[in-house]
Each structure stands twice: as C-alpha cells, then as structure tokens.
Amino acid sequence: MMRNDMKQQELKKLGMLSERELFMELRTSLNGLSAEDAKERLEEYGLNQVDAAKPISAIVMFLHALKDPFVLVLLFLMVISAATRDYEAVIVMGVMVLASTMISFIQEYRSQKASLALKEMIENTCAVTRNGETAEIPMDEVVPGDIVNLATGDMIPADAVLIWTKDLFVNQSSLTGESMPVEKSTNTHADDKTIATIDRSNLVFMGTDVLSGQGKAIILKTGQATFFGDIAKQATKKRGKTTFDTGLTRISKLLLRMVVVLFPVVFLINGLTKGNWGDAFFFAVAVAVGLTPEMLPMIVTSNLAKGAMTLAKEKVIIKELPAIQNLGSMDILCTDKTGTITEDRVVLVQHLDPLGKTNQKVLDMAFLNSAYQTGWRNLMDEAVIQFFEENQQKLPFEKVITIDEIPFDFSRRRVTVVVEAENHQIMVTKGAVEEMAAICTSVEINGEVQPLTNHLKKQLSQINQELNKQGMRVLTVAIKKDAHREAIYSIADESEMTMIGFMAFLDPAKSSAKTAIQSLHAHGVSVKVLTGDNEIVAEKVCQDVGIQVHHALLGTDIDVMTEEELAIVAEETNLFAKLNPMQKSRIIATLQSKNHTVGFMGDGINDAPALRMADVGISVDTAADITKDASSVILLEKSLDVLANGVIEGRKVFSNMMKYIKITISSNFGNVFSILIASAFLPFLPMLSIQLLVQNLIYDMAQLTIPWDNVDEEELAKPVKWNVSSLLKFTVSIGPVSSIFDCLTFLMMWFVFGATTPSQQSLFQTGWFAVGLVTQVLVVHMVRTRKTPFIQSYASKSVLLTSALAIIIGGMIILTPLREFFDFTSLPTNYWVWFIGIVGLYLILVEIAKCMYIRITNEWL
C-alpha cells in the first residue's frame, strides 16, 4: 500500500509540472522520441504490460499441474510404496503421475501459446508520434516520453499527462468504480496540492478509455509502474470460480474423503481377515490409487484446450479457457442490434425537409457536419459522405473553413460542427430526433423560418414514426448562424436552433441472422435485443430476423422500476430500446439474479459495461479497444452464425467432461462395495496391488481420447449446467450395477473354478482382472450416450481405438508370458464362455438401468 502511495505522489508531482518542464524531465519533445531512444527505453523499462498480462513460465505451469489434489495423493502413495520397497507399485504410480501431469502441462502450455498467438491477432494499438510522424504501434511497445494521440474509443495505454485536449471525456470506472465520464484538460492545478492524483484533470491512466473528444499526452509511467499496475496485480490474483469449478471442487473433495476413509477400512479388514498386514497395506494403497481420478485435471484441460482450438478455426477466439464453459451453459443471449442482427451497412435512403419532401439543403448541411468533424465518425457519417460523393454532389459554397466542433457523446446524442462559409459562421448539429427536438425552437420550410408550433411538432413526429415503421433510423439536422464572432463554441450554444429536416438511414437485417437465431432458439438460447435505438426501428428488425416482440421496454421505463419489478418483466421481454450503457448492465444483472447464464454481444464503446457484467462478454476484432478488453470471447466475424457454432462447441466440451466425471465416479462408487465385500469374505486378497494398479493405468489411458468423442445432437439441444444432485443420482443408480457383476464374478471364480484357497488366488485374481478391465472399458460406450450404443450412437474413432487398445493390452498381459510378471496364471478354456456371458449380461443390465434412470429423471449426462 505504501508503494502505491509513493507512485501516486510521483504521478501527482509530474502532473504539476509545466509543459516545458515535462519535456525536460522526460527528455522528449512535441515531435516525440527518436527510434533509437524508443528502443533503448523499451529495453530499460520493459514491455508496457502489467503482471496479470504476463504469460506463465513453463516451470511454474508444470508445478501447477503437480499441485492437483489427485496427483498429490498419488505422489504421497508413491512415497509410502517406495519407503516400503514396493518398487513395482512405485513404477506404475509414477507412470500415472507422469502421464497426468505431462499431458495437463502440454495441453495448458499449448493452450497458452495458442492464446498468446491469437491475442496478437486482436492486439490493441495506439497512435504514437515518433520522429515527428504519427503511426499506430502495439500498446505494449509504448515507453515513457512517448507522445500519444487520443481519440474517441481509444484505451489510455499508460499513465500520462495531457498537453492538449479538445472536449476530452474519459471513463475512469475501471479505477474508481464511478460510471460517470470525467472531463480532462491541460489544467495542472499547480496551486492546489490537495487534489487526489486520480482526480487531477491533466492526468490520464492506464485501464481507462476515451468516451469522446481528443487529446495529446506524454507517457509518464508504463507497465507495472502505472497506477493501474498495483491494482491489477491485486485484483487479478484470483479469478472468481465458475459454477463448474465449484462443482468440480466439491466432487474432488468428496472423492478424496472417500480415499481417506476407505484406505484404513480396507487395510484393517484385509489385515484382520488375512493376517498378512504387509499385503493388506499394499492392497489398500492400490485401492486408494484406484479411487483417485488422477486423469481428471488432464481431461478437463484437454477438453478446454481442444475446444479453444476448434473454436479458433470457427473464427471464435477464447481469451480465457473458462469462457467455453459459460458459452455451453448460456441460456440467454443479449445482443446489440447494429452489426449483429443487421448488416452494419448503413445506407442513406432519404434527405427530407420537415414536411417529408426531398430537400438538397438538408443533404448539404448533413455533409458539412459529417465531413468536417475531426472526432469519431460513426456509420451514418460514412453513409452521408459516401452518398454525397457517389452522387457527385457539390456544396453551394466556394470555400469552407472549419471553425470549431462539439464532439458526440452518449448523453447528448448529437454532434455539432461549426464552419465559416460566405462570411457566416454556420453551426450544424445532427443527432437523435428526441434530443434534437429539445434544442430546436423553429423550422425551415420552403426557405422560410417558422416558429416550431405544437401542430408542426405533431407533423414532424408523424413523419418520423412513418420512417421508423419502414425500419429506417432517422436523424434530425438543425442549423444556427453567427452564434459567435469568435471560434469559441460550447454545449450551451446548442439551443434555439432551426430544424431543417431529416436524414433517413436503412441498416437492413442480415439474411444469415434469421437462421442463426433459429439455431440459437433450437438450442435453448433466448435472444434479447438491447439497443440504444428507438423501439419502432428495433421492433421492425426483430420481426425480420424472427425475434418475437410482444412489447418493448424503454430505458425511461427501466429507470422508474424497482429491482423486483424489473426482474418480473425482464425474462418475458425480448426488446429493450433507448438504453444507456448502465441500463444495459442493469438488465443483465437482473437476468443473472434469476439464475440465468447471460451472454452479451456488442462492439460499441458504450457496450463495455454490459460486456464486463455478462457471464460471457462477446465482441468482435474490429471493436473499440476498450470493448475488446472487456470481452471474454472475440469473434473474427461479426455474425450470430459464428456465435451459434461457439455455443454448440461449448456444450460439446462440457458434455465430454461430464462423461468422464460421471463414468469415473459411478465406477469408483461401485468398486468401493466390490472391494469391501471381497475383503470381508475372501481368505486372500481379491487382487494384488500391482494388478489393481496396472488395471487402473490401462483404463485411464483408454479415457485420454474422451475430449475428442462425438456428442449426440440431443445433448446439444439445451444449455448445460453443473448439477451435483444429478451427479449423485447418476452415481447411486449406475454404480451398484458394477458391484452386482463383480460379486457374480467372485461367485463364478469360487464355485465354478474352485478358486477358494490362497493357493488358487492367482486364478481368482486373473479371472476378476479380465472381467473388471473389459467391463470398465466397455461401460464407457454404454453410458456415453442416452441412445442405444453401437446402433443409434457411435463413439468417435479415437475413443473406439483406445478402447480396443486397452482390451488388447489387457489380453496380452493375461494371455502371454507377461502374466508371470504380474502373478497372473492361465485361465481354463471354459472360463471364456462364462466371461462372455457375464460381460454381456453386465452391459445389458447397464442399458436397462440407464433407460430406467432416463425415464424416471428425464435427464442423462
């Protein structure tokens, strides 16, 4: 904390220097640094990154893989086995530990490498002046002394002091939590030392962003030395756990408790009944290993990494692997309208006077406003300029000089440009209809200026509504002449203006949006539109793409609602219009409070708060820097089709993880009863520790390809969410079936083949090993699908291959001379008849139990 205070004091001190003192202190100038100076400073100060952005080293990543609780249990058991000189067990457990940690490490390392490579595709840049030339460079290459040019939508790359501003407003919510924009200027407040560093108007900070206006600044501090650096370090140490993480932790603890409880129970039962405490101990160790799903971390990591790489091919970049889980469990998608369900290709359709007739002056004034502004041009500005140029229009003025401008911001929702033409200062304002109506007191019709009467207001409103019903977005254009003699204009001048007409734009619905929305609906995802546009235009677009709108909720309605009232209507409403950024965030938070997993898709600067609030923040690679930074998923193509593919892939990842978890836990649950029964009644160990360990190792290896398994369409139809109660129901329903057939195998080996004495234990153990291994491998194919396996649903080729290899390896161990190394013996020929019968009956009974479970619970994996 003291270090952070020192940083703030240093920044405050620099912020109080004059421009000349700053240039001297930082050894720079208005022309910026030279290339050589920039290179030297980059080597001295390092990349402009905070700790949270640095990649994890390979060694740390490997140690992290070893920290998994299941791996630690195995390592502990390895140490015990080594201390008791059970080297065979040490070798087998060592192979298990190495396989689990290495595969987890390799997958995570590859995932990080891929993530960093993908991150370069969406790398944030900023405009830096060096050697007198301004160019876009990667943000992490900015160094102290750089001159940075700021414009609407830019992220502040590092802590800096402003040397020039033009109506600059900055969002500092990431540092202060205050949602209101802050105006910044070059005022040093040198005479007021009581102002807090964060509140100084001439200082801007890493992690904040420009909402409107322009500025030029000198970089003071970069990377970890920034004000944001310490905050980011503390804030990003631990990320919040997803529901899946929480559920996984609960199950992990449950399994580890089973190991802790059963180890002494099995040890004592076998020690007391057999009298050989050494063998009993080794067997208990092997049982503990068998109950430990040591491949769980590897399976989870492999699934997520495989999902991220698959999605990358589908033009979906996953910035953080856990986002895949949220994609799969998302049941509500909130989306902005422009560019997602519309073509993001605004076309100027009409330029009309107040009575709805085509008017050239309206087009001329709108062109002046769009072409001569220096700030952020939106799509409608581009549409006006394109229309004007394509139709070879000419302005009615010989010479136009830019005088001043008042940039667009999201509270005023208008932009003003002042030009000088024909010895007059012409103030041209263009903006949203409602906001413009508030500043106009007259209208110009047929060249005559008339007072804006109530009758005229009704006419104007009717024309606007008619255009809206046709799906057009309407802007009002107003003018004012000679408001000042000097070039000093402010928001206060946007009053008593003369409305000259309307500009009507069309942003047609995407042809692909309708099929994408149908796909999302078919997969259980409700689509809601959250837009700043008016409800009439938005409703027309919603109808075109298949989103049913019974009623629209406006931002003004939301402001007067309590949280309880909003919660009631939010779930039933599909269109929210005339929203500001904080209202979007409030809607998302309300839906989350009703146990929905909510995604938000947007690309505007004003979408950043909603993207941060959503469970899945989805943006596009062409979005503003702050928008991409707030997102967890970035689309390389601005399309709902791409997102629909992402949702399906997220569900595949989740489904395959659940397969392993449910199969492993139910199998372990059944093995508990089998081992306890065998230990209590047999005069010898039902299986030697090395045999049990080898069986477990072969089975684990067979599960490595589960992340690449096929998933039934039915499993993709609904959002997938972690449900611990469902997992427990599955376990107690399927697990006991394996115990029943283990007991049948015991009875077969006892009564049919006479393996009743310690001298015959090798025969008993070989017979149970064969049945246990084959049933464990094949049951995966029975429970991986709710359909009939091998008939209605097939596993992937990789799963089929590893299953076959596991059975072949098991067969080689008991059918070749290798069996002697594991203390197995040859089996009688008629054993295989019984073997086929038990395995066949087991698979049939599992299928029956599965069908009954589905019928009763109406659920599966």
Side-chain angles (χ1 to χ4, degrees):
M1 186 63 72
M2 185 178 294
R3 187 181 169 202
N4 200 19
D5 289 340
M6 289 174 64
K7 286 184 180 180
Q8 292 187 42
Q9 291 300 322
E10 191 176 352
L11 283 171
K12 182 188 286 190
K13 184 179 176 181
L14 289 168
M16 293 168 67
L17 297 177
S18 68
E19 185 175 315
R20 181 173 175 276
E21 290 170 327
L22 279 168
F23 284 140
M24 291 178 65
E25 177 75 19
L26 294 163
R27 306 191 311 280
T28 188
S29 68
L30 274 175
N31 289 327
L33 300 171
S34 66
E36 293 76 16
D37 280 343
K39 185 178 179 181
E40 287 177 7
R41 295 190 189 193
L42 189 61
E43 290 176 0
E44 179 183 353
Y45 296 102
L47 289 173
N48 180 34
Q49 297 174 340
V50 297
D51 281 351
K54 292 178 181 177
I56 303 168
S57 68
I59 294 173
V60 172
M61 201 176 289
F62 182 77
L63 292 174
H64 179 73
L66 279 174
K67 276 173 57 181
D68 183 82
F70 298 121
V71 172
L72 292 176
V73 168
L74 280 181
L75 287 172
F76 174 70
L77 296 175
M78 269 182 68
V79 172
I80 293 175
S81 297
T84 53
R85 298 183 180 181
D86 185 8
Y87 298 120
E88 292 173 343
V90 171
I91 292 170
V92 175
M93 283 188 276
V95 171
M96 289 179 173
V97 169
L98 193 62
S100 179
T101 53
M102 283 304 297
I103 294 173
S104 291
F105 164 72
I106 290 167
Q107 290 289 2
E108 197 168 339
Y109 183 78
R110 286 174 60 191
S111 171
Q112 176 175 276
K113 191 175 178 181
S115 178
L116 291 172
L118 291 171
K119 211 169 183 180
E120 290 179 5
M121 297 169 64
I122 54 165
E123 190 169 41
N124 293 329
T125 62
C126 58
V128 173
T129 300
R130 289 180 180 171
N131 290 326
E133 295 182 2
T134 302
E136 292 284 332
I137 69 167
M139 205 172 283
D140 58 9
E141 293 180 13
V142 168
V143 295
D146 266 330
I147 305 297
V148 177
N149 299 277
L150 304 173
T152 303
D154 288 344
M155 284 183 66
I156 310 296
D159 293 352
V161 61
L162 293 162
I163 55 175
W164 175 82
T165 62
K166 174 70 175 175
D167 301 310
L168 184 66
F169 284 83
V170 173
N171 170 27
Q172 295 188 158
S173 62
S174 58
L175 297 181
T176 64
E178 176 56 55
S179 60
M180 294 299 292
V182 178
E183 185 171 10
K184 294 288 183 176
S185 67
T186 55
N187 188 351
T188 62
H189 297 288
D191 57 339
D192 192 347
K193 296 181 175 60
T194 62
I195 299 175
T197 306
I198 194 72
D199 294 328
R200 300 194 74 81
S201 61
N202 69 326
L203 291 179
V204 288
F205 306 92
M206 173 189 269
T208 64
D209 54 282
V210 179
L211 286 179
S212 64
Q214 299 169 283
K216 188 173 286 190
I218 307 174
I219 299 297
L220 302 176
K221 301 288 181 182
T222 59
Q224 202 58 39
T226 60
F227 184 80
F228 185 72
D230 279 343
I231 297 173
K233 187 176 180 181
Q234 296 299 321
T236 57
K237 271 186 176 177
K238 290 185 179 178
R239 295 187 179 275
K241 287 189 174 182
T242 63
T243 352
F244 184 84
D245 292 328
T246 306
L248 205 55
T249 302
R250 288 176 63 185
I251 293 304
S252 299
K253 288 180 179 177
L254 175 64
L255 288 170
L256 290 174
R257 288 192 192 105
M258 285 173 61
V259 170
V260 171
V261 171
L262 286 169
F263 178 82
V265 171
V266 171
F267 173 58
L268 288 172
I269 290 176
N270 282 285
L272 291 170
T273 56
K274 281 74 174 175
N276 189 329
W277 291 94
D279 285 348
F281 175 80
F282 295 135
F283 181 71
V285 169
V287 169
V289 173
L291 290 173
T292 305
E294 60 282 337
M295 293 297 169
L296 185 57
M298 186 282 302
I299 293 288
V300 171
T301 307
S302 294
N303 263 291
L304 295 176
K306 177 256 179 187
M309 297 308 293
T310 302
L311 287 174
K313 293 174 184 175
E314 296 287 338
K315 300 182 180 179
V316 180
I317 295 176
I318 303 296
K319 284 173 64 180
E320 297 174 0
L321 288 182
I324 300 175
Q325 300 165 9
N326 288 337
L327 264 181
S329 58
M330 180 176 72
D331 60 339
I332 292 180
L333 172 65
C334 297
T335 176
D336 190 21
K337 174 179 69 67
T338 305
T340 50
I341 59 176
T342 63
E343 289 187 3
D344 200 8
R345 185 179 58 84
V346 177
V347 179
L348 176 60
V349 180
Q350 298 185 58
H351 41 98
L352 310 171
D353 69 9
L355 299 181
K357 297 177 182 177
T358 300
N359 185 282
Q360 183 63 35
K361 184 177 181 179
V362 176
L363 176 61
D364 292 339
M365 293 299 105
F367 177 77
L368 280 175
N369 181 282
S370 297
Y372 285 84
Q373 62 174 287
T374 60
W376 176 54
R377 284 181 184 166
N378 61 28
L379 291 170
M380 284 173 284
D381 290 317
E382 300 294 347
V384 170
I385 295 169
Q386 185 178 357
F387 181 91
F388 196 87
E389 292 175 347
E390 285 181 354
N391 288 276
Q392 298 180 343
Q393 300 286 322
K394 289 186 178 180
L395 288 171
F397 313 116
E398 290 185 6
K399 187 177 181 182
V400 176
I401 302 172
T402 303
I403 298 297
D404 202 355
E405 66 181 297
I406 307 170
F408 176 87
D409 66 54
F410 295 106
S411 56
R412 289 166 42 251
R413 299 181 72 206
R414 56 181 178 260
V415 58
T416 294
V417 171
V418 185
V419 298
E420 184 178 306
E422 296 180 347
N423 298 320
H424 289 286
Q425 287 192 7
I426 305 173
M427 182 178 173
V428 185
T429 302
K430 176 174 94 271
V433 173
E434 293 81 358
E435 281 71 11
M436 290 294 293
I439 63 170
C440 291
T441 55
S442 59
V443 294
E444 183 177 313
I445 301 174
N446 297 326
E448 294 183 6
V449 176
Q450 304 176 20
L452 183 56
T453 62
N454 288 332
H455 176 69
L456 279 172
K457 284 181 180 179
K458 288 180 182 179
Q459 279 188 293
L460 297 175
S461 176
Q462 188 175 354
I463 291 169
N464 179 38
Q465 287 184 13
E466 288 298 322
L467 293 169
N468 287 164
K469 286 176 182 177
Q470 297 173 48
M472 295 185 195
R473 170 77 182 273
V474 182
L475 295 184
T476 298
V477 181
I479 61 172
K480 188 177 184 180
K481 286 187 177 181
D482 301 321
H484 294 291
R485 290 184 178 179
E486 297 182 10
I488 303 174
Y489 283 78
S490 67
I491 293 173
D493 293 308
E494 293 178 334
S495 61
E496 298 182 354
M497 300 194 74
T498 301
M499 185 267 200
I500 62 170
F502 300 109
M503 304 291 289
F505 303 86
L506 189 63
D507 183 8
K510 283 184 178 177
S511 55
S512 62
K514 189 167 187 176
T515 55
I517 288 169
Q518 285 174 348
S519 175
L520 287 166
H521 284 163
H523 289 91
V525 180
S526 300
V527 181
K528 299 179 185 291
V529 174
L530 277 59
T531 179
D533 288 349
N534 72 65
E535 71 277 16
I536 301 174
V537 174
E539 185 172 348
K540 173 69 167 61
V541 174
C542 287
Q543 289 173 354
D544 290 343
V545 297
I547 299 174
Q548 291 187 351
V549 178
H550 301 296
H551 66 280
L553 202 60
L554 304 184
T556 50
D557 301 328
I558 292 168
D559 282 339
V560 297
M561 286 183 173
T562 63
E563 295 302 321
E564 292 75 17
E565 290 170 338
L566 182 58
I568 292 170
V569 297
E571 288 183 297
E572 301 168 356
T573 304
N574 287 336
L575 174 59
F576 301 84
K578 300 290 286 182
L579 300 177
N580 63 40
M582 302 320 294
Q583 288 165 343
K584 291 182 181 181
S585 296
R586 186 183 171 197
I587 292 164
I588 290 169
T590 301
L591 292 169
Q592 289 170 328
S593 71
K594 301 291 284 184
N595 296 319
H596 292 289
T597 301
V598 184
F600 179 78
M601 183 174 176
D603 69 340
I605 305 159
N606 58 332
D607 291 327
L611 287 164
R612 288 192 183 102
M613 177 64 66
D615 295 296
V616 192
I618 306 156
S619 187
V620 291
D621 64 333
T622 55
D625 292 343
I626 184 62
T627 311
K628 289 186 288 187
D629 190 61
S631 306
S632 51
V633 176
I634 295 180
L635 309 181
L636 297 182
E637 185 178 301
K638 198 172 183 181
S639 166
L640 283 178
D641 271 330
V642 173
L643 183 59
N645 294 336
V647 169
I648 293 169
E649 187 61 33
R651 293 184 185 177
K652 286 180 181 177
V653 167
F654 195 99
S655 179
N656 282 333
M657 281 193 289
M658 291 308 297
K659 283 178 190 177
Y660 177 80
I661 293 167
K662 286 193 171 184
I663 291 166
T664 301
I665 291 173
S666 60
S667 175
N668 288 352
F669 183 77
N671 288 341
V672 168
F673 290 104
S674 303
I675 289 166
L676 290 176
I677 292 168
S679 300
F681 294 102
L682 292 175
F684 49 80
L685 292 176
M687 203 177 289
L688 299 180
S689 59
I690 185 64
Q691 296 167 349
L692 203 55
L693 288 169
V694 168
Q695 185 188 67
N696 194 44
L697 177 62
I698 296 171
Y699 172 72
D700 281 338
M701 294 304 176
Q703 307 311 304
L704 294 181
T705 52
I706 279 184
W708 289 267
D709 190 21
N710 299 328
V711 179
D712 295 334
E713 285 296 323
E714 291 81 357
E715 302 303 324
L716 305 176
K718 294 180 181 178
V720 284
K721 295 188 179 182
W722 181 271
N723 189 331
V724 176
S725 62
S726 169
L727 180 57
L728 293 175
K729 281 188 291 183
F730 180 94
T731 301
V732 298
S733 300
I734 304 300
V737 178
S738 67
S739 292
I740 293 170
F741 280 86
D742 281 335
C743 291
L744 282 176
T745 305
F746 299 159
L747 293 172
M748 174 188 73
M749 299 309 298
W750 186 276
F751 290 107
V752 177
F753 297 101
T756 57
T757 63
S759 62
Q760 294 292 313
Q761 69 172 358
S762 182
L763 177 62
F764 185 99
Q765 291 159 355
T766 308
W768 189 33
F769 177 90
V771 170
L773 177 63
V774 173
T775 52
Q776 267 192 310
V777 171
L778 291 181
V779 77
V780 172
H781 296 269
M782 309 304 292
V783 300
R784 59 165 292 280
T785 174
R786 66 171 64 217
K787 297 179 179 180
T788 306
F790 306 112
I791 298 174
Q792 295 176 319
S793 177
Y794 283 93
S796 67
K797 290 179 181 178
S798 56
V799 172
L800 288 168
L801 180 62
T802 51
S803 297
L805 281 173
I807 294 172
I808 290 169
I809 291 169
M812 288 175 64
I813 288 174
I814 60 175
L815 295 175
T816 69
L818 277 174
R819 59 175 171 258
E820 294 176 8
F821 178 79
F822 299 101
D823 289 327
F824 288 131
T825 188
S826 58
L827 292 162
T829 305
N830 63 334
Y831 164 83
W832 297 108
V833 177
W834 288 90
F835 170 85
I836 293 170
I838 286 179
V839 171
L841 281 172
Y842 172 70
L843 297 179
I844 291 168
L845 189 58
V846 168
E847 185 67 16
I848 292 170
K850 180 179 81 174
C851 293
M852 289 176 62
Y853 176 85
I854 293 170
R855 190 175 294 115
I856 293 168
T857 64
N858 196 31
E859 62 182 32
W860 191 232
L861 293 175

